[in-house]
Amino acid sequence: MRTFAAAASRWEGDGFGVLLLDLALPDGFGLDLVSRGLALAGEVPVVVLSGLEDGAVAAQAVELGARVYVVKGPGAVQDLRAVL
């Protein structure tokens, strides 16, 4: 999905096992998206995938309740496989 709203409209009843969330979407940015994602996901784990390599933002995302924060880059695929 390209927007948070599009993902949210498909979320209910589809039985997803994880919410993979980018922090830069056309309809949201940053930790606000983490909060919105956590509210949407309920008990489903939220994994943040971001191009923002910022330890403080990563720590805040995890403090809010994200399962893990993965930085986009050469090792991201292996990191995501390990998490999932």
Side-chain angles (χ1 to χ4, degrees), residues 53-81:
E53 192 170 354
D54 183 326
V57 172
Q60 288 177 312
V62 172
E63 284 178 24
L64 285 172
R67 179 70 51 97
V68 68
Y69 186 102
V70 176
V71 176
K72 292 177 187 177
V77 171
Q78 291 84 354
D79 292 343
L80 284 173
R81 283 185 181 160

Side-chain angles (χ1 to χ4, degrees):
M1 304 286 135
R2 300 202 103 175
T3 66
F4 186 85
S9 72
R10 298 266 328 259
W11 188 259
E12 291 299 320
D14 277 347
F16 294 102
V18 66
L19 174 61
L20 183 59
L21 182 65
D22 194 317
L23 292 188
L25 298 175
D27 58 349
F29 183 80
L31 295 172
D32 175 61
L33 276 175
V34 175
S35 295
R36 291 167 60 194
L38 290 164
L40 175 67
E43 297 298 315
V44 173
V46 174
V47 173
V48 175
L49 177 64
S50 178
L52 181 62
E53 192 170 354
D54 183 326
V57 172
Q60 288 177 312
V62 172
E63 284 178 24
L64 285 172
R67 179 70 51 97
V68 68
Y69 186 102
V70 176
V71 176
K72 292 177 187 177
V77 171
Q78 291 84 354
D79 292 343
L80 284 173
R81 283 185 181 160
V83 168
L84 298 175

